Amino acid sequence: MRTLLLRSLFARPVTIGAPSPEDAALAEVGAALEAQARRLFGRSITIREVDAGSCNGCELEIHALSNAVYDVERFGIRFAASPRHADVLLVTGPVTKNMKVALERTYAATPNPKWVVAVGDCACGCGIFAESYATVGSVEAVLPVDLHIKGCPPRPIELLRGLLALLKSATSG
Amino acid sequence: MADDALTEILDLAKALDVLAPWPRFEVDSNAWTQIGHLLKAGDADMLALWCEPHAVHLALRAPASDACVVSLAISDGSFPSIGQFHPPAIRLERTIHDLYGIVAKGCPDRRPWLDHGAWELQAPLGTRPSAPVRDPADYAFLPVRGQGLHQVPVGPVHAGTIEPGHFRFTANGEMVARVEERLGYTHKGIDALMAGSDIDHAARIAARISGDSTVAYSFAFAHAVESALGVEAPARAQVLRGVMAELERIANHFGDIGAICNDAAFALAHAHCGIFRERVLAVCDRVFGHRLMMGCIVPGGVAADISAENAAEIVAVLDDLTPRFAEIVKLYDDTPSLQDRTCNTGIVGKELVRRWAAGGYVGRASGRDFDARRDIGYPPYAGMSVDAPVLERGDVDARVWVRIREAEASMKLLRGWLAAIPAGPLQTALPAVREPREGCAMIEAFRGDIWFWLRVADGRVERAHARDASVFQWPLLEAAIEDNIIADFPICNKSFNCSYAGHDL
Ligand code: SF4
């Protein structure tokens, strides 16, 4: 065990370089932010993730953001356990009717200023579940959405691009 | 002995020549009830219980024999409850009532299960009368009485990045007296979405039932379609399916082993396991074009091929990970502070696991020696020796060890296949069949066996039903947490890692 610990201590980081924030995402987010709110953020954002009925594929990739390769914390992006500590709600899945109320309450519990990011094709457009009696629709059908990150599921690198765009717009200006 | 009792019942029943590869029988309510008694006595495992507007179906399997399906026609909107004899059927009967409005007469629990009163429809798969929206909070949790007991409601939105569900803890101080699950938050009406859609579209839905088992679900769907239409995927496709299924298994086991250690405050193992998982997903992305391999298995074969260099690339990743994983395993084994949290925590008894026919590592960590890869023996596993380790202790530690051994066995299987992938085509064309045919399949996903049944006609799926391993694992989690402290719930939960999406469908 000691060798493993020592090796872990002296090993070079396994993280990959930061991707450049996506232009389309930058434009979408930039328009959604007010200059007043930008100053409030400092250089970090705290995210509360809400699964509003996904297949869990999107969650798996959001999880990957915290692994040693993507390590989002190095950019000042943190995940919080409660919406009360969050600046950003990261919402996945087509919103199921059974989750609608919980999603609305989570949004209400998030302090202003706040942003909503829809992650995945389901959250962005309800995807393959649009026709169902049990879904409300995309996240936009329930909450105002500031940024869409498409993909089924989006790769972690794509998530990172979108979030960096959000961070950049939120903290510049 | 057990076999005989079932054979006797089925000898008198009407064999319907519609389902493949296993038989389906039409029984009367008398025989149906007898089967309930049989399940109660432990003479057969219940594999699935589902419904159509005019019939209810039950899949079962006596030890060491083939599975079969028995069907009971429904005339007056009800059928005799199996749950009154065999508790694992209760949640399924509540589901049948929610979706079809059909009553399981005698079922000890009549509360709704997936229907939270928000659909604006009652029995959406039944006759579709509209219904007023109920208050989702208006749900009667089981009463608990006793001195000093208090309740802690948790969810549906949890503290971590996980799927939604509700847990109602009743505790005495720190000690959990009972936890009651309320699920259904991710219900998307998959059975209804599949009904009537063409085979390709239904395959896309199947791939999106549970994101961590997308390969296994696509595999099960494809297998059921192929059985129904009487075709087989080409040899090369079958081996590639195996490769994908085992890559999915190790990726999930790596991730979960790390996450369990993390819940025991051992972040080092978590960090390493996270990298292992990432390495596997990254190579899947390069080779198959999708990190989770979603949509790579299709009815008739596979949609993605791999070159000799690709195969070598995967083997290189395995070569790199094998010794590093061994080090983490040793670390797990040598760290008493970690074992202090996992040993004797969240025990599930052998008898309970047998009764529920719980699959995967939950079953195998509690002495239930079943693995669909070996015991159902579908290609490419048929005729191969699949190591399926079985332990008896049934605690978190046992579930960790079963997963460790499974990951090692998967890496061995992968090496074998990748060394010699048969040449040939990737897909067999599906024949156009006009009349209705039924197919079913049982596939070992990383968390346990998946059951898939469907009826196809004229290139369309008329009806389909999938049952996730979680269906029979969730209730055991309730049992596992009793007499543990609330703080140990996350680690118990993680060691099960039941699927919400796969359960709620
Ligand atoms: S976008 Fe894809 S991965 Fe994400 S929840 Fe929807 S089906 Fe699952």
Side-chain angles (χ1 to χ4, degrees), chain A residues 54-55 57-58 120-122 151-153, chain B residues 208:
Chain A
S54 88
C55 81
C58 285
D121 288 350
C122 288
C152 182
Chain B
R208 285 159 182 81

Side-chain angles (χ1 to χ4, degrees), chain B residues 417-430:
Chain B
W417 284 325
L418 288 165
I421 306 174
L426 295 177
Q427 288 190 28
T428 307
L430 300 180

